Amino acid sequence: MADVQKVSSGIPGLDDLIEGGFWPKSTVVILGSSGTGKSTFAIQFLMEGIEQGEQALYVTLEEPPEQIMREADLMGFDMRKYYEKSLFFIHLKGRNFKKMIEEQLPQLVKARADYNIATRVVIDPMTPVIWATADKLEQRELIGKLFYTLKELGVVLCTVEEHAKPGETVGEDVLLPIYLSDGAVHLEYYPIGGAFNRTLKLLKMRGVHHGEGVYPYLFARGVGIVVRASPTHIPEEQSRSHIKTFDEAIKTAEAMKAPARVIDRIKKMQKHWDYDYSPEEALQILFSSYGLKRGG
Ligand SMILES: Nc1ncnc2c1ncn2[C@@H]1O[C@H](COP(=O)(O)OP(=O)(O)OP(=O)(O)O)[C@@H](O)[C@H]1O
Ligand SMILES: [Mg+2]
């Protein structure tokens, strides 16, 4: 298994916690209450692949593609550029999506799988599948079928809404998808203000010696979620203006011949950084997640 290429998550800081990324053709559940950043996580994961020439499949049960792309745009992700070129949507709308999961989806996936193109799949949100029936056995069959079918294409990442409050144990309604998937990531939000008031925890990750801590994360528009996997060494004074910090980061990235998409992300981040805290730490995590060593 050692020479199997891991699939990068696209979340700066996270790959360090999961030995480099997700296993190919594995299923991962992103769990969290409303607004914790599940969709952001999902979009980031897809964009990471798309920008590297992979394809992306977005399975949606609630919002239409147009709305998803509009919201992504507000977060700094230009999905439209890839729409129906390397980014495809399946909108399982209406009441008959059970039938779609059982019949149409397998056909569709089979047709795609024959091309053998690296693909990332997102199901966001998967909650309606769970709610489609109260019967546990049927839920299990539906989720199992969905995972089994889509896994053929590549890593399947799905989001599940939970209703427990921060710090409470995971609710019973979300145990099934956790149980059926290879990995589970839990996002929590403590509305107390400040930089890293959101935390990420890995509930499981099969075949991975994963980090076992509670890791703070923040949002940076243009980049998305940034996870503090370990205490970060911040190279310089924090008191400088943020503009200068970004300008220098961009210069450094250019000098290091960082990929254009990484520089682009920093520029977007700069454009939108309206927090009163320094972007140093987020930048530092971003740099190291792309294997770039700076300062210190
Ligand atoms: N750049 C940003 N800076 C601050 N907060 C942000 C940023 N981007 C997103 N957010 C916050 O993240 C939340 C939305 O994230 P997202 O849609 O990914 O969450 P979600 O878990 O999918 O929510 P839902 O359960 O409603 O689908 C919003 O509350 C928004 O305020
Ligand atoms: Mg969402």
Side-chain angles (χ1 to χ4, degrees):
M1 272 211 314
D3 53 355
V4 174
Q5 186 85 26
K6 285 283 193 86
V7 178
S8 60
S9 66
I11 317 292
L14 180 61
D15 289 352
D16 287 345
L17 298 175
I18 53 174
E19 297 184 314
F22 303 123
W23 287 115
K25 301 196 180 188
S26 62
T27 52
V28 182
V29 175
I30 312 299
L31 199 72
S33 57
S34 184
T36 43
K38 301 179 297 296
S39 296
T40 308
F41 192 117
I43 292 168
Q44 239 175 302
F45 165 74
L46 288 187
M47 292 303 282
E48 175 71 13
I50 290 174
E51 289 176 357
Q52 295 182 84
E54 296 174 16
Q55 299 221 337
L57 195 61
Y58 201 121
V59 181
T60 160
L61 294 106
E62 283 176 350
E63 302 173 2
E66 187 46 45
Q67 189 179 339
I68 291 164
M69 290 194 286
R70 199 178 326 123
E71 282 165 15
D73 206 26
L74 296 174
M75 292 190 279
F77 298 108
D78 188 3
M79 295 181 96
R80 269 196 199 87
K81 198 162 125 194
Y82 304 98
Y83 181 57
E84 297 205 323
K85 296 188 185 84
S86 49
L87 166 67
F88 303 93
F89 287 88
I90 298 182
H91 194 181
L92 298 183
K93 53 179 180 287
R95 311 211 71 211
N96 62 344
F97 68 77
K98 279 204 289 194
K99 198 170 162 200
M100 286 195 72
I101 292 172
E102 277 153 9
E103 293 166 24
Q104 280 145 283
L105 203 61
Q107 287 171 19
L108 203 135
V109 166
K110 167 120 197 15
R112 280 191 62 91
D114 288 344
Y115 289 102
N116 204 18
I117 321 162
T119 304
R120 295 175 181 225
V121 184
V122 154
I123 311 168
D124 177 40
M126 202 180 66
T127 315
V129 180
I130 305 168
W131 288 349
T133 166
D135 185 76
K136 288 274 172 216
L137 198 65
E138 204 182 343
Q139 283 182 3
R140 194 193 157 125
E141 269 170 21
L142 269 179
I143 298 169
K145 181 90 189 171
L146 203 53
F147 281 171
Y148 175 82
T149 306
L150 291 167
K151 233 165 137 151
E152 267 316 292
L153 297 173
V155 176
V156 179
L157 193 144
C158 68
T159 70
V160 175
E161 209 180 296
E162 68 151 0
H163 300 278
K165 291 191 185 66
E168 286 179 6
T169 47
V170 175
E172 206 191 317
D173 50 335
V174 296
L175 290 179
L176 199 54
I178 298 174
Y179 170 69
L180 292 173
S181 63
D182 300 306
V185 180
H186 195 195
L187 304 178
E188 287 192 294
Y189 174 46
Y190 296 82
I192 48 168
F196 283 90
N197 56 353
R198 294 165 191 267
T199 58
L200 177 150
K201 208 163 43 193
L202 298 160
L203 299 182
K204 73 180 219 185
M205 202 57 73
R206 282 179 188 147
V208 177
H209 184 74
H210 64 79
E212 293 187 330
V214 174
Y215 306 96
Y217 68 90
L218 55 72
F219 283 112
R221 200 166 291 157
V223 176
I225 290 171
V226 177
V227 182
R228 183 204 277 153
S230 58
T232 319
H233 172 67
I234 301 170
E236 282 171 66
E237 285 275 300
Q238 293 219 8
S239 56
R240 303 182 299 167
S241 87
H242 299 168
I243 297 169
K244 203 164 158 239
T245 305
F246 278 113
D247 283 344
E248 281 180 15
I250 291 163
K251 261 192 230 148
T252 309
E254 282 167 350
M256 292 170 126
K257 303 227 175 340
R261 65 197 186 91
V262 177
I263 297 171
D264 195 49
R265 288 215 165 125
I266 301 171
K267 286 181 180 163
K268 269 197 197 148
M269 214 171 137
Q270 176 176 34
K271 204 170 121 206
H272 296 289
W273 193 269
D274 51 11
Y275 305 105
D276 51 8
Y277 50 87
S278 167
E280 271 295 359
E281 183 167 20
L283 282 167
Q284 195 64 17
I285 296 169
L286 184 75
F287 268 78
S288 65
S289 78
Y290 286 101
L292 304 165
K293 286 210 168 56
R294 142 183 114 114

